[in-house]
Amino acid sequence: MDRDRGAEASAVPVPPWRTPPKAVNVRQPLSQERIVQTGLQLLDAEGLDGVSMRRVAQELGTGPASLYAHVSGKEELLDLIFDRVLGEVELPDEPDPQRWIEQVRQIAVSAHRVMCAHADIARVALANVPVGPNALRIAEKQLQIMRAGGVPAQVAAWMIDRLSLYIVADAYEGSLLRVRSREGGEQALAEYFGRIEAYYRSLPPDRFPAFTAHVEELMSGKDEERFEFGLDILLAGLARFGRADGAKSPPG
Amino acid sequence: MDRDRGAEASAVPVPPWRTPPKAVNVRQPLSQERIVQTGLQLLDAEGLDGVSMRRVAQELGTGPASLYAHVSGKEELLDLIFDRVLGEVELPDEPDPQRWIEQVRQIAVSAHRVMCAHADIARVALANVPVGPNALRIAEKQLQIMRAGGVPAQVAAWMIDRLSLYIVADAYEGSLLRVRSREGGEQALAEYFGRIEAYYRSLPPDRFPAFTAHVEELMSGKDEERFEFGLDILLAGLARFGRADGAKSPPG
DNA sequence: ACCTGAACACCGTTCAAGT
DNA sequence: ACCTGAACACCGTTCAAGT
């Protein structure tokens, strides 16, 4: 009998008066995983302000109330997205006492780059202490490297905190400029800095002698350059506490 | 004729059927000054989230739309409040080349203290580049001091930027903890850190050997202590660029 | 157990209309 | 010129009711 060969039967058009099954995959059940993933997509597409409970729910084809079964609230959702992003940070396999400063530096640069690649997600880390698995993984590695480099435990412990504050703050600050340039184009960003520079130049030199004399220097340098400048200042300050031979790549 | 002696006439009760004049001083006209002042009061009383256009308007006995005649929007209002706060920062009169690092340090500490004294206002400085008169006054002084200390112009210019980023970021981070403790009492803050510490101790030592071995060091130190630790690391890194004799107070 | 519609108590900003 | 009521287009979270 032919009527049991389902595969071939489906090649024939379905009679239009039959109610089609509800769109496939829309009934894929909600989960924390799916919510975080959707939040991350929204973050990348529209920035952190685009990640609202309502928008995430909409994207998942449901109402905002449904999210609360899988996530305690907006804060937890953002924490989860942040830690997922931190998962992209690359770490060296083993601490190398000969190159401890370079290793600390590489992790810092990688973390900075990763956060910068995801809009203004860094704001989340400023708002609460990150305790997700990836945050811990990174901090653990930094601590191991500094200890291997001979840095005293108390200094190393506080330095992790100070370093991550610096990285996160710079990433956040820079991301706001990037948001500005995405919204108004490259041109808007240039205009913004142009206005500031013009304002600096217009200041009265008698009250702002140093400022007006150094507008050039104040405005120079790209994001990355300034970040690494500050990072190297911090690392130079740290170097005194550890093995001297680990400080092979001193800044200017 | 008695009916012209207004002063004495007002001692007699007004006939109750007369409409009384609208409450005195409520008709004090709106001004940017009054709006900023009210915003600052709200900031101190309820934190930055308490400063909404609607709340400020309410406090002034008017509707939110009325504020837009004196302030372009919320962002400008917050900028104005921030710069007013910066007015409290103390600056030395003259740059002293013998003590340049100490002077840079004092300004940094003062700015940090001032921001910490006004809830989470520091968030404003992370969101946009401060260009108010008081921000400029402080930056100008820092620049003068570093130049007097022999720091090259490019290093000094970038250092102002990095220093203020560090100060603002720490003040903001700390303010969020202070908000937490104000809302839930000293006890809530202790509980929060207690939870974190307990979580650190509960981590598997094989995967987090350094972390679990140094929970004590990771949790130690008050806000101010940690801030000054990082500040001194930065200043030690900076010291190499200027006059050696200005670095009289090196950190640990 | 999981999901949802509707409601609550808010936002910043705009605009036509009033004085 | 200055001020305002009402509206617009949003928020995060809660809760009773549904399946």
Side-chain angles (χ1 to χ4, degrees):
Chain A
M1 314 257 283
D2 267 358
R3 63 184 163 98
D4 276 331
R5 291 189 300 171
E8 270 160 77
S10 73
V12 173
V14 176
W17 59 89
R18 293 261 181 84
T19 324
K22 308 260 170 180
V24 183
N25 280 338
V26 157
R27 280 305 110 213
Q28 197 180 130
L30 233 41
S31 69
Q32 191 180 81
E33 170 64 25
R34 290 222 303 144
I35 291 170
V36 171
Q37 201 171 297
T38 305
L40 182 53
Q41 278 163 16
L42 270 173
L43 168 72
D44 290 340
E46 307 181 18
L48 203 54
D49 284 341
V51 187
S52 73
M53 298 299 271
R54 294 177 115 96
R55 283 283 278 120
V56 171
Q58 195 190 49
E59 220 71 20
L60 288 165
T62 182
S66 304
L67 307 181
Y68 288 81
H70 303 93
V71 135
S72 74
K74 192 185 184 184
E75 196 173 300
E76 187 172 296
L77 173 55
L78 293 182
D79 285 348
L80 290 167
I81 294 174
F82 178 74
D83 204 68
R84 144 113 26 151
V85 165
L86 279 194
E88 298 173 21
V89 174
E90 280 171 41
L91 300 179
D93 286 336
E94 288 297 324
D96 178 355
Q98 312 297 319
R99 301 169 42 251
W100 71 274
I101 288 195
E102 201 186 311
Q103 284 188 320
V104 170
R105 190 179 196 283
Q106 265 171 14
I107 296 176
V109 169
S110 171
H112 185 254
R113 245 197 281 271
V114 164
M115 285 190 269
C116 288
H118 292 282
D120 39 355
I121 186 67
R123 193 174 76 201
V124 173
L126 278 172
N128 18 305
V129 183
V131 288
N134 284 312
L136 292 178
R137 186 178 61 94
I138 296 167
E140 167 70 21
K141 190 65 81 172
Q142 289 280 48
L143 197 47
Q144 283 177 13
I145 294 169
M146 287 192 222
R147 294 294 285 146
V151 178
Q154 185 61 80
V155 173
W158 282 358
M159 195 65 195
I160 286 177
D161 174 49
R162 300 292 92 182
L163 257 183
S164 70
L165 180 66
Y166 175 69
I167 295 165
V168 162
D170 187 89
Y172 179 54
E173 194 185 53
S175 68
L176 293 173
L177 294 175
R178 259 169 282 119
V179 165
R180 206 184 291 262
S181 89
R182 193 191 48 199
E183 280 171 1
E186 200 69 30
Q187 196 195 358
L189 194 66
E191 250 174 57
Y192 176 72
F193 279 116
R195 263 204 313 276
I196 291 184
E197 184 169 345
Y199 180 60
Y200 284 174
R201 289 196 197 283
S202 76
L203 292 170
D206 56 318
R207 285 175 52 206
F208 298 98
F211 225 72
T212 48
H214 298 306
V215 175
E216 211 81 29
E217 287 90 344
L218 287 163
M219 303 299 301
S220 79
K222 299 190 177 183
D223 289 9
E224 196 78 5
E225 231 174 324
R226 282 173 179 245
F227 169 70
E228 295 194 5
F229 169 79
L231 178 60
D232 287 330
I233 295 264
L234 276 168
L235 293 178
L238 173 66
R240 302 166 309 145
F241 292 102
R243 295 171 54 130
D245 65 348
K248 275 191 207 147
S249 56
Chain B
M1 314 261 282
D2 268 356
R3 64 187 162 93
D4 277 330
R5 292 188 301 174
E8 270 160 74
S10 74
V12 175
V14 176
W17 57 88
R18 293 262 180 85
T19 324
K22 309 257 170 181
V24 183
N25 280 338
V26 158
R27 281 304 109 211
Q28 197 182 132
L30 233 43
S31 68
Q32 192 180 81
E33 170 63 26
R34 291 223 301 146
I35 291 171
V36 172
Q37 201 171 295
T38 305
L40 183 54
Q41 278 163 16
L42 271 171
L43 168 72
D44 290 340
E46 306 180 20
L48 203 53
D49 283 342
V51 187
S52 72
M53 297 300 271
R54 293 177 116 95
R55 282 284 278 117
V56 170
Q58 195 188 50
E59 220 70 21
L60 288 164
T62 183
S66 304
L67 306 182
Y68 287 80
H70 302 94
V71 136
S72 72
K74 193 184 184 184
E75 197 173 301
E76 188 173 296
L77 173 55
L78 294 182
D79 285 349
L80 290 167
I81 295 173
F82 179 74
D83 204 68
R84 144 111 27 151
V85 165
L86 279 194
E88 297 173 22
V89 174
E90 280 171 42
L91 300 178
D93 287 336
E94 289 296 326
D96 179 354
Q98 312 296 318
R99 300 169 44 247
W100 71 274
I101 289 197
E102 202 186 310
Q103 285 188 320
V104 170
R105 190 179 196 282
Q106 266 171 13
I107 296 176
V109 170
S110 171
H112 185 254
R113 244 197 281 270
V114 164
M115 285 189 270
C116 289
H118 291 282
D120 38 357
I121 187 66
R123 193 174 76 202
V124 173
L126 278 172
N128 19 309
V129 183
V131 288
N134 284 312
L136 293 178
R137 188 177 61 94
I138 296 166
E140 167 70 21
K141 190 65 83 173
Q142 289 279 49
L143 198 47
Q144 284 177 14
I145 293 169
M146 287 191 222
R147 294 293 285 145
V151 177
Q154 185 60 79
V155 173
W158 282 357
M159 195 65 195
I160 286 177
D161 174 50
R162 300 293 92 183
L163 258 183
S164 69
L165 180 66
Y166 175 68
I167 295 165
V168 163
D170 187 89
Y172 179 54
E173 195 186 54
S175 69
L176 293 173
L177 294 175
R178 260 169 282 120
V179 165
R180 208 183 290 261
S181 89
R182 193 192 48 199
E183 280 170 2
E186 200 69 29
Q187 198 194 355
L189 194 67
E191 249 174 57
Y192 175 72
F193 280 117
R195 264 205 311 276
I196 291 184
E197 182 168 346
Y199 180 59
Y200 285 174
R201 290 196 195 283
S202 77
L203 291 170
D206 55 319
R207 285 176 52 208
F208 298 98
F211 225 72
T212 47
H214 297 305
V215 174
E216 210 81 28
E217 288 90 344
L218 287 163
M219 303 300 299
S220 80
K222 301 190 177 183
D223 290 8
E224 195 78 5
E225 231 174 324
R226 282 173 180 245
F227 170 69
E228 296 195 4
F229 169 80
L231 178 60
D232 287 331
I233 295 265
L234 277 167
L235 292 178
L238 173 65
R240 302 166 310 143
F241 292 102
R243 297 171 53 128
D245 65 347
K248 275 190 206 147
S249 55

PDB file of all heavy atoms in Angstrom, chain A residues 184-198:
ATOM      1  N   GLY A 184      27.212  57.136  14.543  1.00  0.00           N
ATOM      2  CA  GLY A 184      27.291  58.276  13.638  1.00  0.00           C
ATOM      3  C   GLY A 184      28.324  58.120  12.542  1.00  0.00           C
ATOM      4  O   GLY A 184      28.571  59.063  11.797  1.00  0.00           O
ATOM      5  N   GLY A 185      28.932  56.959  12.454  1.00  0.00           N
ATOM      6  CA  GLY A 185      29.965  56.760  11.442  1.00  0.00           C
ATOM      7  C   GLY A 185      31.309  57.289  11.903  1.00  0.00           C
ATOM      8  O   GLY A 185      31.402  58.019  12.898  1.00  0.00           O
ATOM      9  N   GLU A 186      32.339  56.892  11.162  1.00  0.00           N
ATOM     10  CA  GLU A 186      33.712  57.316  11.482  1.00  0.00           C
ATOM     11  C   GLU A 186      33.790  58.835  11.605  1.00  0.00           C
ATOM     12  O   GLU A 186      34.524  59.384  12.424  1.00  0.00           O
ATOM     13  CB  GLU A 186      34.660  56.827  10.376  1.00  0.00           C
ATOM     14  CG  GLU A 186      36.123  56.751  10.781  1.00  0.00           C
ATOM     15  CD  GLU A 186      36.368  55.639  11.792  1.00  0.00           C
ATOM     16  OE1 GLU A 186      35.626  54.626  11.762  1.00  0.00           O
ATOM     17  OE2 GLU A 186      37.273  55.801  12.625  1.00  0.00           O
ATOM     18  N   GLN A 187      33.005  59.474  10.779  1.00  0.00           N
ATOM     19  CA  GLN A 187      33.018  60.935  10.701  1.00  0.00           C
ATOM     20  C   GLN A 187      32.603  61.573  12.034  1.00  0.00           C
ATOM     21  O   GLN A 187      33.220  62.540  12.488  1.00  0.00           O
ATOM     22  CB  GLN A 187      32.045  61.343   9.598  1.00  0.00           C
ATOM     23  CG  GLN A 187      32.206  62.777   9.100  1.00  0.00           C
ATOM     24  CD  GLN A 187      30.983  63.189   8.288  1.00  0.00           C
ATOM     25  OE1 GLN A 187      30.071  62.375   8.089  1.00  0.00           O
ATOM     26  NE2 GLN A 187      30.953  64.431   7.861  1.00  0.00           N
ATOM     27  N   ALA A 188      31.578  61.026  12.661  1.00  0.00           N
ATOM     28  CA  ALA A 188      31.072  61.574  13.916  1.00  0.00           C
ATOM     29  C   ALA A 188      32.153  61.545  14.992  1.00  0.00           C
ATOM     30  O   ALA A 188      32.294  62.489  15.778  1.00  0.00           O
ATOM     31  CB  ALA A 188      29.851  60.784  14.379  1.00  0.00           C
ATOM     32  N   LEU A 189      32.934  60.471  14.995  1.00  0.00           N
ATOM     33  CA  LEU A 189      33.999  60.337  15.982  1.00  0.00           C
ATOM     34  C   LEU A 189      35.070  61.412  15.760  1.00  0.00           C
ATOM     35  O   LEU A 189      35.522  62.066  16.701  1.00  0.00           O
ATOM     36  CB  LEU A 189      34.623  58.949  15.882  1.00  0.00           C
ATOM     37  CG  LEU A 189      35.509  58.538  17.054  1.00  0.00           C
ATOM     38  CD1 LEU A 189      34.670  58.392  18.309  1.00  0.00           C
ATOM     39  CD2 LEU A 189      36.229  57.239  16.761  1.00  0.00           C
ATOM     40  N   ALA A 190      35.439  61.589  14.496  1.00  0.00           N
ATOM     41  CA  ALA A 190      36.434  62.605  14.150  1.00  0.00           C
ATOM     42  C   ALA A 190      35.936  63.988  14.548  1.00  0.00           C
ATOM     43  O   ALA A 190      36.678  64.806  15.104  1.00  0.00           O
ATOM     44  CB  ALA A 190      36.736  62.552  12.657  1.00  0.00           C
ATOM     45  N   GLU A 191      34.653  64.225  14.298  1.00  0.00           N
ATOM     46  CA  GLU A 191      34.048  65.509  14.677  1.00  0.00           C
ATOM     47  C   GLU A 191      34.120  65.729  16.186  1.00  0.00           C
ATOM     48  O   GLU A 191      34.447  66.812  16.655  1.00  0.00           O
ATOM     49  CB  GLU A 191      32.580  65.521  14.261  1.00  0.00           C
ATOM     50  CG  GLU A 191      32.260  66.464  13.114  1.00  0.00           C
ATOM     51  CD  GLU A 191      30.816  66.288  12.672  1.00  0.00           C
ATOM     52  OE1 GLU A 191      29.915  66.438  13.522  1.00  0.00           O
ATOM     53  OE2 GLU A 191      30.597  65.985  11.474  1.00  0.00           O
ATOM     54  N   TYR A 192      33.796  64.658  16.914  1.00  0.00           N
ATOM     55  CA  TYR A 192      33.790  64.744  18.378  1.00  0.00           C
ATOM     56  C   TYR A 192      35.165  65.160  18.893  1.00  0.00           C
ATOM     57  O   TYR A 192      35.294  66.101  19.679  1.00  0.00           O
ATOM     58  CB  TYR A 192      33.383  63.385  18.957  1.00  0.00           C
ATOM     59  CG  TYR A 192      33.430  63.296  20.458  1.00  0.00           C
ATOM     60  CD1 TYR A 192      32.483  63.956  21.242  1.00  0.00           C
ATOM     61  CD2 TYR A 192      34.413  62.541  21.101  1.00  0.00           C
ATOM     62  CE1 TYR A 192      32.528  63.868  22.621  1.00  0.00           C
ATOM     63  CE2 TYR A 192      34.451  62.445  22.475  1.00  0.00           C
ATOM     64  CZ  TYR A 192      33.514  63.101  23.230  1.00  0.00           C
ATOM     65  OH  TYR A 192      33.566  63.015  24.597  1.00  0.00           O
ATOM     66  N   PHE A 193      36.217  64.470  18.410  1.00  0.00           N
ATOM     67  CA  PHE A 193      37.562  64.821  18.856  1.00  0.00           C
ATOM     68  C   PHE A 193      38.002  66.166  18.301  1.00  0.00           C
ATOM     69  O   PHE A 193      38.745  66.902  18.953  1.00  0.00           O
ATOM     70  CB  PHE A 193      38.549  63.719  18.456  1.00  0.00           C
ATOM     71  CG  PHE A 193      38.530  62.556  19.389  1.00  0.00           C
ATOM     72  CD1 PHE A 193      38.140  61.301  18.962  1.00  0.00           C
ATOM     73  CD2 PHE A 193      38.883  62.735  20.727  1.00  0.00           C
ATOM     74  CE1 PHE A 193      38.108  60.229  19.842  1.00  0.00           C
ATOM     75  CE2 PHE A 193      38.853  61.665  21.610  1.00  0.00           C
ATOM     76  CZ  PHE A 193      38.461  60.414  21.160  1.00  0.00           C
ATOM     77  N   GLY A 194      37.521  66.479  17.113  1.00  0.00           N
ATOM     78  CA  GLY A 194      37.832  67.786  16.533  1.00  0.00           C
ATOM     79  C   GLY A 194      37.299  68.908  17.404  1.00  0.00           C
ATOM     80  O   GLY A 194      38.012  69.890  17.681  1.00  0.00           O
ATOM     81  N   ARG A 195      36.074  68.745  17.874  1.00  0.00           N
ATOM     82  CA  ARG A 195      35.465  69.750  18.750  1.00  0.00           C
ATOM     83  C   ARG A 195      36.289  69.917  20.024  1.00  0.00           C
ATOM     84  O   ARG A 195      36.560  71.038  20.462  1.00  0.00           O
ATOM     85  CB  ARG A 195      34.044  69.342  19.120  1.00  0.00           C
ATOM     86  CG  ARG A 195      32.960  69.977  18.275  1.00  0.00           C
ATOM     87  CD  ARG A 195      31.624  70.025  19.020  1.00  0.00           C
ATOM     88  NE  ARG A 195      31.261  68.755  19.662  1.00  0.00           N
ATOM     89  CZ  ARG A 195      30.662  67.747  19.046  1.00  0.00           C
ATOM     90  NH1 ARG A 195      30.353  67.849  17.779  1.00  0.00           N
ATOM     91  NH2 ARG A 195      30.353  66.642  19.698  1.00  0.00           N
ATOM     92  N   ILE A 196      36.675  68.792  20.621  1.00  0.00           N
ATOM     93  CA  ILE A 196      37.445  68.852  21.865  1.00  0.00           C
ATOM     94  C   ILE A 196      38.787  69.553  21.628  1.00  0.00           C
ATOM     95  O   ILE A 196      39.173  70.444  22.389  1.00  0.00           O
ATOM     96  CB  ILE A 196      37.677  67.429  22.429  1.00  0.00           C
ATOM     97  CG1 ILE A 196      36.345  66.856  22.923  1.00  0.00           C
ATOM     98  CG2 ILE A 196      38.696  67.462  23.558  1.00  0.00           C
ATOM     99  CD1 ILE A 196      36.476  65.500  23.583  1.00  0.00           C
ATOM    100  N   GLU A 197      39.450  69.156  20.557  1.00  0.00           N
ATOM    101  CA  GLU A 197      40.748  69.764  20.260  1.00  0.00           C
ATOM    102  C   GLU A 197      40.614  71.275  20.043  1.00  0.00           C
ATOM    103  O   GLU A 197      41.394  72.057  20.583  1.00  0.00           O
ATOM    104  CB  GLU A 197      41.372  69.104  19.024  1.00  0.00           C
ATOM    105  CG  GLU A 197      42.757  69.633  18.721  1.00  0.00           C
ATOM    106  CD  GLU A 197      43.487  68.801  17.665  1.00  0.00           C
ATOM    107  OE1 GLU A 197      43.051  67.674  17.374  1.00  0.00           O
ATOM    108  OE2 GLU A 197      44.490  69.304  17.138  1.00  0.00           O
ATOM    109  N   ALA A 198      39.601  71.661  19.281  1.00  0.00           N
ATOM    110  CA  ALA A 198      39.375  73.087  19.027  1.00  0.00           C
ATOM    111  C   ALA A 198      39.117  73.825  20.341  1.00  0.00           C
ATOM    112  O   ALA A 198      39.615  74.936  20.565  1.00  0.00           O
ATOM    113  CB  ALA A 198      38.199  73.264  18.075  1.00  0.00           C
TER     114      ALA A 198
END
